[in-house]
Amino acid sequence: MSFIIVLGALLFLMLVAYRGYSVILFAPVAALGAVLLTDPRMVAPMFASVFMEKMVGFVKLYFPVFLLGAVFGKVIELSGFSKSIVASVIDLVGRQRAMLAIVLVCSLLTYGGVSLFVVVFAVYPFAAEMFKQGDIPKRLIPATIALGAFTFTMDSLPGTPQIQNIIPTTFFKTDTWAAPWLGTIGGVFILLVGLLYLNYCRKAAATAGEGYGSGLLNEPEAVNLEKLVNPLIAILPLIVVGVMNKVFTTVIPAYYGKTYEFTLAGGGKTMHTDISSLVAIWAVEAALLIGILTVLLFAFRNVVAKFAEGSRAAVGGALLASMNTASEYGFGAVIAGLPGFVAISNALKAIPNPLLNEAITVSTLAGVTGSASGGMSIALAAMSETFIQNAHAAGIPLEVFHRVAAMASGGMDTLPHNGAVITLLAVTGLTHRQSYKNIFVITLIKTLAVFVVIAVYYATGIV
């Protein structure tokens, strides 16, 4: 019965997310409903001491990352830099290679620190224009954007400043550059196999005589390419974020050491800060801040004219994204404290291989919640100590566990109820029936990549 209660809570959360209801509202409802059915007396204590503690703890750690990432994406957009980057990559690759160009543009922007939601809005007008010129079916645009923005640059490539690559750092005491070779191998696998599949779809559509389509919704206006920013200046903030992330990852621990103590003025208490668990977060925050300042340095006049309205949108988006994930994190902590989860945990322990155990656990929960960061947060909040013990017992570096967790979170997360998928389809004016099949194949490819990386590690031992 306890197992059914936990499973019911997970399925309920998945259902409400799929139907478009707020996870912020229904994550505590699902968690406390499970507690109520287990032991009614525990409802209030669990809410106060577990759910709220974990939710607030998540916000304390990660909200600045969400906020600075959202602001960085917004100033890149307001400055016109994103439009210049997209146009330049398209010119470089060639308009006849529409799919490759769009994938490269999306990957460049997301690896440079721009939020994937911003990327969708920035790239779609160009994608629609190129697909129309190449007479490629519009229904393939979502899968093309998903390959570039929702896969290898989100969680595979070392150093990516996306939240899916940051969350494992606080559990495993790693940094965002963990397991660089394995991450790169996984990223290349996703890119190549994904492009082969998209090219197959394009050729099949051409053979069948299917063109761009007619009577479509949300068709964008023609892109105005006049007065674009120099592409070298436009791409500079993305390069700055990547370089400074690496620099701060090295400099911060050298400057502070593993821990830092200070005493509050006026005879206050002594504060202790565990620097080792915060290095990756601080490095990304500092890099994003310098990236924002770099944009302002070159495009202050363009940005400041619209910054008041743009910053409000950025802050609102950051609050919503962080609170969604924080609520799921609190949900995971509550579920992990129930007897039913012990049954699930024991069942997963039956998977003897520690990396396969972690990959299946994280990928399953990401699929259930429809969120890479949410599913990984639930899994790591509940089972990180077990993963760490397994790593030490098997002699596997925690950097490998970091990379497997990050990539597994971005595997089955893009099921139909995923927020990014719903947003992508809404922006492009397409439906699940028209375009989701191709997105799902990309989902299977990035899920397969996790197991490819695990196989490579065991075959070669490289990290």
Side-chain angles (χ1 to χ4, degrees):
M1 182 62 182
S2 59
F3 169 76
I4 294 174
I5 290 172
V6 168
L7 182 62
L10 289 169
L11 292 175
F12 173 76
L13 186 61
M14 179 175 70
L15 177 63
V16 296
Y18 178 71
R19 297 296 297 270
Y21 293 102
S22 171
V23 171
I24 299 172
L25 176 62
F26 280 98
V29 171
L32 298 178
V35 176
L36 179 66
L37 295 173
T38 302
D39 184 350
R41 292 191 307 167
M42 291 172 56
V43 172
M46 271 286 210
F47 178 71
S49 300
V50 179
F51 184 89
M52 289 304 299
E53 286 287 336
K54 292 297 184 179
M55 186 181 77
V56 171
F58 184 93
V59 173
K60 181 181 75 171
L61 277 175
Y62 300 114
F63 177 68
V65 177
F66 281 95
L67 178 62
L68 290 171
V71 173
F72 179 65
K74 181 56 66 174
V75 296
I76 286 285
E77 177 187 336
L78 296 178
S79 63
F81 285 12
S82 59
K83 184 181 290 187
S84 176
I85 292 169
V86 174
S88 300
V89 172
I90 290 172
D91 288 342
L92 183 65
V93 175
R95 289 184 173 271
Q96 70 278 13
R97 300 184 182 91
M99 288 180 161
L100 175 61
I102 295 304
V103 169
L104 291 180
V105 166
C106 292
S107 61
L108 180 63
L109 290 171
T110 49
Y111 194 56
V114 180
S115 163
L116 55 88
F117 290 98
V118 174
V119 171
V120 170
F121 285 98
V123 172
Y124 169 55
F126 291 89
E129 184 174 304
M130 293 181 68
F131 275 52
K132 192 178 297 182
Q133 291 176 1
D135 206 26
I136 303 170
K138 183 184 179 181
R139 61 179 176 82
L140 296 178
I141 290 179
T144 305
I145 293 177
L147 176 61
F150 301 173
T151 60
F152 60 98
T153 55
M154 185 179 81
D155 51 49
S156 299
L157 295 185
T160 175
Q162 300 297 330
I163 193 67
Q164 292 79 8
N165 190 41
I166 298 171
I167 290 174
T169 64
T170 56
F171 292 95
F172 299 128
K173 303 295 178 66
T174 50
D175 59 48
T176 57
W177 302 88
W181 287 109
L182 291 178
T184 302
I185 290 169
V188 170
F189 174 86
I190 295 169
L191 175 62
L192 293 180
V193 177
L195 285 173
L196 286 173
Y197 170 72
L198 291 175
N199 193 50
Y200 164 78
C201 292
R202 180 186 62 80
K203 288 182 177 179
T207 301
E210 181 185 0
Y212 181 78
S214 59
L216 299 165
L217 302 176
N218 289 17
E219 283 295 282
E221 297 179 4
V223 180
N224 182 9
L225 298 180
E226 295 180 5
K227 299 180 180 179
L228 288 179
V229 180
N230 186 301
L232 296 178
I233 293 177
I235 202 173
L236 181 60
L238 306 185
I239 296 173
V240 166
V241 169
V243 171
M244 296 311 298
N245 181 17
K246 182 63 174 177
V247 169
F248 283 119
T249 299
T250 304
V251 169
I252 289 172
Y255 183 72
Y256 284 106
K258 291 185 177 180
T259 60
Y260 184 76
E261 296 183 0
F262 62 98
T263 303
L264 299 176
K269 66 177 182 178
T270 300
M271 307 296 291
H272 302 269
T273 305
D274 181 9
I275 302 298
S276 61
S277 64
L278 296 171
V279 169
I281 297 173
W282 287 3
V284 170
E285 290 170 356
L288 287 170
L289 184 58
I290 293 178
I292 293 168
L293 294 175
T294 303
V295 176
L296 294 176
L297 179 65
F298 289 98
F300 180 81
R301 187 172 298 176
N302 290 342
V303 173
V304 75
K306 302 177 182 177
F307 188 72
E309 180 181 352
S311 61
R312 283 196 298 271
V315 171
L319 279 167
L320 182 61
S322 61
M323 287 300 296
N324 272 330
T325 308
S327 291
E328 290 172 335
Y329 188 62
F331 169 86
V334 171
I335 294 299
L338 298 179
F341 194 81
V342 176
I344 296 174
S345 181
N346 289 336
L348 290 170
K349 287 177 182 177
I351 302 172
N353 186 286
L355 291 177
L356 289 177
N357 186 319
E358 182 190 39
I360 293 171
T361 301
V362 174
S363 189
T364 299
L365 289 173
V368 168
T369 59
S371 166
S373 53
M376 178 166 51
S377 296
I378 292 173
L380 295 184
M383 301 184 67
S384 60
E385 290 302 320
T386 301
F387 294 151
I388 292 171
Q389 291 172 10
N390 291 343
H392 293 324
I396 301 173
L398 288 176
E399 287 79 6
V400 179
F401 272 76
H402 169 126
R403 188 55 54 206
V404 168
M407 291 183 63
S409 77
M412 296 302 292
D413 66 314
T414 41
L415 291 180
H417 57 294
N418 173 266
V421 170
I422 293 170
T423 299
L424 176 58
L425 293 175
V427 170
T428 55
L430 295 163
T431 65
H432 280 79
R433 177 174 294 182
Q434 290 172 303
S435 294
Y436 184 71
K437 180 185 75 173
N438 304 113
I439 297 175
F440 182 65
V441 174
I442 300 299
T443 298
L444 294 178
I445 291 169
K446 60 181 183 166
T447 301
L448 178 61
V450 184
F451 299 99
V452 170
V453 163
I454 292 173
V456 169
Y457 171 72
Y458 281 119
T460 65
I462 64 171
V463 176

